[in-house]
Amino acid sequence: MKRKLTFTLVALVAVSAVGAGLWFFARHRQSAVAVAPVPAAVPVVAATVTGREVPIYLRGIGTVIAYNTDVVRGQIQGQIVQIAFTEGQTVKAGDLLAQIDPRPYQAQIEQLTANRDRNQAQLMNAEANLSRYHQLGDKGYATPQLIETQTAQVAQLRATVKADQAQIDQANVQLSYTRLTSAIPGITGVRQIDVGNVIHPTDPNGLVVVTQIEPISLLFTLPQTDLPAIQQQMAKGQMKVIAYSQDNKVKLGEGRLLLVNNEIAQTTGTIQLKAEFPNHDHQLWPGQLVNARLLLEMRKDALTVAGSAVQDGPNGSYVYVVAPDQTATLRPVHVAQISDGQALIDQGLKPGDVVVVDGQYRLKEGSTVRQLTGKAAREADLQSSVQDAIP
């Protein structure tokens, strides 16, 4: 009996100990849950997606080339006696650039003129004799043979005078070549010959190179897959081309598409295009590398967001959309193009969606956000602060 009572007491103590342990564990767990910190809202800058008219561009890299290039060469040999331009000068068509010594050619013209005048005098005398022979022939005092001989002599002298005049005309052309003028409007380059030197028609560099830069041309390439779209738009009318600096920060000019080359480069799979720019401000220069944008179309009611809102993941591009309960939701999107800091979205968003444009590096699916507005949004540098906080 005593042994049974002892066993009962031991069992009661064990049960009490287990109960006390369970009660202590439950209390401790409840306390831990009660003091667990609530995740703080992530500060972000957000923007509402709206529809607007967006230009659709095809982008390529191009080289600026002069509209016309003229290597000014001497067509005759002679000594340069005058240089009438300065290097880098803007010239018009017909402006004098240099003068070759004209005296040898002037002397030749004077000699040829004298020969013509002599032959002209002989012709006048022969014509007078022929007239007299005809009168004598009518009276029977001149034979037909004499008249025919004199007629042939007149014809011969007329041909001689005509040949003399042709030689004078040719000499005048040669004399005109002593004036080296610009055939095109443009800008002169580096002078290749100095005053006193003899210029030859065979000189490889000539006197100077004149390049026309108003207007100016641009050659650029695009993938051959863009060709059908380009041809379709060209059939509707003229297409605009915009040139930007290599860093895409400076707009250099607007022009028009002139032509699409008649063949595709098999090695690169690209098509070459040529555009023309007025270039009145001379921002485009021959040999310059630029970024070319061919305006394909103006898309109306297109959805755009800041380019900083678009992130790249293993499954493609995505953005964070802020739900009405201020939580962030990851949304896959398709980006048609990014231009001037704006991303054109053609799939994944709708007008009125609120998209995180700054601070998304701390977000994950379901994160609570706190939108910054006004001055706080303008002064926020959330991306850099998050990156600095990453160990």
Side-chain angles (χ1 to χ4, degrees):
M1 187 67 180
K2 186 176 179 180
R3 186 177 179 182
K4 184 176 181 181
L5 181 60
T6 302
F7 178 78
T8 302
L9 290 174
V10 171
L12 289 175
V13 171
V15 171
S16 298
V18 172
L22 292 174
W23 177 83
F24 178 78
F25 177 75
R27 291 282 294 178
H28 183 269
R29 182 179 182 184
Q30 184 177 11
S31 176
V33 171
V35 299
V38 177
V42 179
V44 298
V45 177
T48 303
V49 178
T50 57
R52 62 185 182 90
E53 191 175 50
V54 176
I56 304 300
Y57 293 112
L58 300 177
R59 290 172 168 79
I61 298 176
T63 303
V64 180
I65 60 174
Y67 194 78
N68 283 308
T69 301
D70 177 29
V71 181
V72 181
R73 291 189 173 92
Q75 299 188 58
I76 58 174
Q77 178 177 320
Q79 184 183 38
I80 299 292
V81 296
Q82 179 189 3
I83 297 293
F85 73 96
T86 58
E87 296 170 319
Q89 175 184 342
T90 299
V91 296
K92 302 185 295 295
D95 283 355
L96 178 66
L97 301 179
Q99 177 70 56
I100 297 175
D101 188 359
R103 292 175 298 177
Y105 301 94
Q106 291 172 343
Q108 184 182 14
I109 291 176
E110 292 176 357
Q111 180 181 3
L112 294 173
T113 302
N115 292 336
R116 182 202 62 187
D117 293 343
R118 180 193 62 202
N119 293 328
Q120 182 71 41
Q122 293 177 357
L123 173 62
M124 292 175 62
N125 183 56
E127 289 175 340
N129 289 334
L130 179 62
S131 177
R132 287 191 293 269
Y133 291 160
H134 276 296
Q135 294 176 2
L136 293 173
D138 293 338
K139 297 179 180 180
Y141 297 115
T143 63
Q145 181 180 2
L146 181 62
I147 295 174
E148 291 173 359
T149 301
Q150 190 64 28
T151 301
Q153 185 179 6
V154 169
Q156 180 181 357
L157 289 172
R158 284 176 180 172
T160 302
V161 171
K162 189 175 181 179
D164 290 340
Q165 185 59 52
Q167 290 181 337
I168 293 173
D169 294 339
Q170 183 181 9
N172 280 316
V173 172
Q174 296 292 312
L175 179 62
S176 69
Y177 289 158
T178 62
R179 289 174 52 87
L180 300 181
T181 60
S182 176
I184 60 173
I187 296 178
T188 59
V190 178
R191 187 178 71 246
Q192 303 296 328
I193 298 179
D194 297 328
V195 174
N197 290 311
V198 175
I199 192 170
H200 304 83
T202 56
D203 292 338
N205 298 323
L207 170 69
V208 69
V209 177
V210 179
T211 55
Q212 182 177 356
I213 63 173
E214 288 187 51
I216 204 165
S217 301
L218 172 65
L219 291 177
F220 64 101
T221 57
L222 292 173
Q224 63 178 354
T225 53
D226 294 332
L227 182 58
I230 296 173
Q231 291 175 326
Q232 183 178 2
Q233 293 301 318
M234 288 185 69
K236 297 179 181 179
Q238 201 171 86
M239 299 183 70
K240 180 190 293 186
V241 180
I242 305 176
Y244 281 84
S245 59
Q246 286 186 281
D247 57 5
N248 282 316
K249 293 181 178 179
V250 180
K251 181 179 178 181
L252 302 176
E254 291 187 6
R256 62 188 181 94
L257 183 66
L258 286 183
L259 64 90
V260 178
N261 204 1
N262 55 7
E263 63 178 355
I264 296 174
Q266 296 295 325
T267 55
T268 59
T270 58
I271 187 74
Q272 189 180 59
L273 302 96
K274 185 177 183 179
E276 178 185 289
F277 293 77
N279 199 34
H280 297 313
D281 52 5
H282 295 183
Q283 291 201 67
L284 295 171
W285 208 252
Q288 182 180 8
L289 291 177
V290 300
N291 290 322
R293 299 184 187 181
L294 176 63
L295 179 61
L296 190 63
E297 62 173 310
M298 295 295 293
R299 186 174 298 181
K300 298 182 178 180
D301 299 324
L303 301 182
T304 61
V305 296
S308 59
V310 181
Q311 308 296 307
D312 293 323
N315 297 322
S317 300
Y318 65 92
V319 298
Y320 279 103
V321 177
V322 180
D325 61 355
Q326 298 301 302
T327 57
T329 303
L330 188 147
R331 183 84 60 84
V333 294
H334 181 266
V335 180
Q337 72 171 18
I338 297 181
S339 177
D340 299 327
Q342 293 291 311
L344 173 62
I345 308 298
D346 54 8
Q347 291 181 12
L349 294 176
K350 62 182 183 298
D353 283 343
V354 179
V355 176
V356 177
V357 299
D358 197 3
Q360 61 270 53
Y361 292 95
R362 294 178 60 186
L363 296 179
K364 59 183 180 180
E365 181 70 22
S367 296
T368 303
V369 300
R370 174 170 59 88
Q371 296 188 46
L372 302 179
T373 59
K375 182 178 180 180
R378 291 191 298 270
E379 295 178 351
D381 191 10
L382 303 176
Q383 295 181 6
S384 60
S385 62
V386 171
Q387 292 171 350
D388 293 340
I390 297 176

